[in-house]
Amino acid sequence: MAIPITIPRLGWNMEEGIFVGWLRRDGDPIQAGEGLFTLESEKATEDVECLDSGILRIPTGSPSPGDPVKVGDLIGYLLVPGENEVPAIDSQESLLKLEAVKGPVPASTSRKVECTKSAISPRARRAAAELGVDWRNLKGTGRTGRIREEDVRNARKAAKVRDESEVGDSRITPTRRIIAERMRHSLSTTAPVTLTTTADATNLVDFRQEMKTQQAEKAPGFTDFFVKLAAVALAGHPRLNSRWENDRIIQLREIHISIAVDTEAGLMAPVIRDVPRLSLVEVADRSRALIDRARKGTLKIKEIEGGTFTITNLGAFGIDAFTPIIHWPQCAILGIGRIQRQPVVINDQVVPREQVTLSLTFDHRIADGADAARFLQTLVTLIEEPSAALTRVEDA
C-alpha cells in the first residue's frame, strides 16, 4: 500500500510551516536518505529526507510552493514498484484510510496525525494561494463545513475593504506569529527582572581599533567581543547559564551563546557553540557566517537551537538601555547599548571616556538579584580590562 508523506515537526513548538517546494518530481524514484521536499519553519529552512525507497507520487491537492501547512498534513505518497493508484488529497480526512498501513514510516512522517473534519477543496486551496488568503481561519459554507472557492474569494474581498482603511498591511506572517508566541510564552513562564549598569569601554574600543588596523574587514565586531567576554563571565557564574526544567534548575556544562540578528523575516537568534573554547577571531568568523545565513534565510534548525545565554546589541540604533525579553528556556539575556564618549570623573578630574550600558534580564526563579549583580560586576571588569580574557582557551 502507499506510504503517506506528511509534514514533520521540526522544532520544539512547531505547529505549522511554509511548504517551499518538492525537491523531486512526480514519478521520480526515491532512494532512502535523499531529500524529498523543503519546509520553512521555526525561522529556518530544512530539506526533509526520506528513510524509505519508492516512487514519489504527488496527488491533486498537494500544497504548492508558498502554501501554509500544518504538522501532520498529508502531502504525497511513496509507492512500491508496480503500484499506480493513489487517492487525491481533497482533505486531511483521507488519512483515516491510512491508519492500517504497515511497514516502515518515511522520514517525513514524524508522528501519528490527528485528523480534523475541516476541509478545503483543491480549487479553494489554489485560490487561497493565488490571493494570499490564510484559509485555516475561514468558516466553510460547503457540506460538512468544507471551504469552497467562493468562501476564499469572499474573504479576500472583505480583507481588501479593511486594507483600504488601513495605512499598512496587517497580515501576520508565520515567522512573526512564532516570534509573538515565543515572547508571550517567555513572559508567562518566567519571572523576569532587569538590572542595568555601565562599563568603561575605552580599553575595549582601543583593543578593537588595533585589530581593525591589523585585520581590516575581518576584524571582530563589538558584539563578538561581548560574546567572548560574556562566556568568560558565565564560566565563573554558572547560575546564569542554567534553565528551569520540570521544577528543577539545570546547570549547563557548555556555554552556547545565541546572538540576536535583525532580518527582513524577523528577529532570529543563531547560536555560537562552545564559546569558551574559541578564540575571539573564531567567534567573529562563526558569528559572521551565522548572520549571513540568517539574513539569507538559510539557517538550519540545529543552528538556532540549544543556546544557553543570549546577547542582543542595539547600540547601532543609538539605544542606551532597554529591557530585553528572555529567550526561553534560557535563564538570562544581555542587552548591549551604544558605546558613547562621555565625561567621567577620575582622580577628581573630568576626562572623556567611552561608556557602554549593559541591561541584563534574568529569570528570578533561577537566579537571585545578587547572582545577576555579581555576573555584571565580573563582566564590567572584563570589559574594562579585556586583553587578558581575549586569548584563546585551548581544548582540555
Side-chain angles (χ1 to χ4, degrees):
M1 294 182 65
I3 301 176
I5 301 172
T6 60
I7 297 297
R9 186 187 302 277
L10 298 182
W12 70 273
N13 70 336
M14 176 185 170
E15 296 297 336
E16 59 186 33
I18 299 296
F19 184 77
V20 178
W22 291 99
L23 298 174
R24 304 297 295 272
R25 294 176 297 182
D26 181 52
D28 281 354
I30 306 296
Q31 297 297 320
E34 291 183 338
L36 203 55
F37 60 92
T38 303
L39 181 65
E40 178 185 338
S41 64
E42 294 292 320
K43 311 178 190 177
T45 301
E46 291 280 343
D47 290 344
V48 178
E49 298 180 352
C50 192
L51 295 179
D52 289 275
S53 299
I55 306 299
L56 175 63
R57 294 307 306 270
I58 306 175
T60 302
S62 178
S64 301
D67 280 358
V69 289
K70 292 184 178 181
V71 171
D73 276 358
L74 173 63
I75 62 173
Y77 301 91
L78 277 183
L79 304 184
V80 299
E83 282 187 305
N84 294 309
E85 297 297 326
V86 295
I89 305 176
D90 290 332
S91 77
Q92 295 306 311
E93 291 177 351
S94 59
L95 284 180
L96 290 172
K97 302 176 182 179
L98 301 171
E99 290 296 317
V101 172
K102 305 296 183 181
V105 179
S108 53
T109 304
S110 61
R111 65 180 180 92
K112 184 177 179 181
V113 177
E114 296 178 0
C115 303
T116 63
K117 293 185 178 180
S118 62
I120 181 171
S121 71
R123 291 182 60 182
R125 184 188 288 272
R126 288 193 293 269
E130 293 172 359
L131 299 175
V133 174
D134 186 354
W135 57 266
R136 293 165 296 181
N137 296 322
L138 298 183
K139 183 177 181 180
T141 59
R143 294 183 59 186
T144 68
R146 192 181 193 194
I147 299 171
R148 303 184 300 165
E149 181 181 7
E150 182 180 358
D151 299 324
V152 173
R153 297 193 178 279
N154 287 339
R156 182 66 189 101
K157 290 178 183 179
K160 186 176 181 181
V161 172
R162 292 194 299 271
D163 291 346
E164 291 175 350
S165 64
E166 297 171 351
V167 176
D169 191 350
S170 61
R171 288 175 294 180
I172 299 175
T173 65
T175 297
R176 176 53 57 184
R177 184 178 292 109
I178 291 170
I179 293 172
E181 290 175 353
R182 285 191 167 185
M183 296 301 171
R184 177 190 57 78
H185 183 79
S186 176
L187 290 175
S188 65
T189 57
T190 64
V193 176
T194 302
L195 302 181
T196 61
T197 190
T198 58
D200 189 326
T202 304
N203 291 336
L204 182 66
V205 172
D206 292 342
F207 192 101
R208 180 172 182 266
Q209 186 59 44
E210 291 179 8
M211 296 192 71
K212 286 183 65 177
T213 302
Q214 299 170 0
Q215 302 181 27
E217 295 181 357
K218 292 188 177 181
F222 282 115
T223 299
D224 302 323
F225 281 83
F226 289 114
V227 167
K228 180 62 180 177
L229 295 175
V232 176
L234 286 170
H237 302 277
R239 183 54 67 96
L240 276 297
N241 195 60
S242 304
R243 67 169 179 257
W244 185 285
E245 183 177 293
N246 298 326
D247 291 328
R248 295 188 303 157
I249 296 175
I250 306 298
Q251 185 172 306
L252 304 169
R253 184 185 304 275
E254 298 174 327
I255 298 175
H256 306 316
I257 296 187
S258 306
I259 51 173
V261 180
D262 180 40
T263 74
E264 291 184 359
L267 185 65
M268 299 188 182
V271 180
I272 303 175
R273 302 187 183 278
D274 298 319
V275 177
R277 299 179 183 272
L278 303 177
S279 69
L280 177 61
V281 173
E282 289 171 328
V283 168
D285 288 342
R286 297 192 185 188
S287 171
R288 195 178 297 112
L290 287 169
I291 291 172
D292 181 63
R293 288 199 290 278
R295 289 175 175 161
K296 289 180 179 178
T298 59
L299 283 174
K300 302 298 183 182
I301 292 294
K302 63 182 180 181
E303 293 177 320
I304 60 176
E305 291 185 339
T308 63
F309 186 88
T310 297
I311 290 180
T312 175
N313 191 341
L314 294 181
F317 299 97
I319 301 300
D320 293 320
F322 55 104
T323 306
I325 297 177
I326 296 169
H327 187 24
W328 188 89
Q330 298 172 14
C331 172
I333 178 172
L334 177 68
I336 309 297
R338 62 177 169 173
I339 297 175
Q340 186 178 29
R341 182 165 294 186
Q342 296 179 354
V344 177
V345 177
I346 299 178
N347 296 327
D348 295 330
Q349 292 186 344
V350 178
V351 295
R353 303 288 291 181
E354 304 288 352
Q355 302 289 296
V356 62
T357 300
L358 310 175
S359 304
L360 178 72
T361 300
F362 64 98
D363 187 345
H364 213 322
R365 300 176 308 161
I366 300 175
D368 293 329
D371 297 319
R374 282 190 286 266
F375 167 80
L376 283 175
Q377 281 183 325
T378 298
L379 183 58
V380 167
T381 299
L382 293 171
I383 291 171
E384 294 180 348
E385 296 293 339
S387 57
L390 296 178
T391 56
R392 178 178 177 83
V393 179
E394 299 293 342
D395 291 348

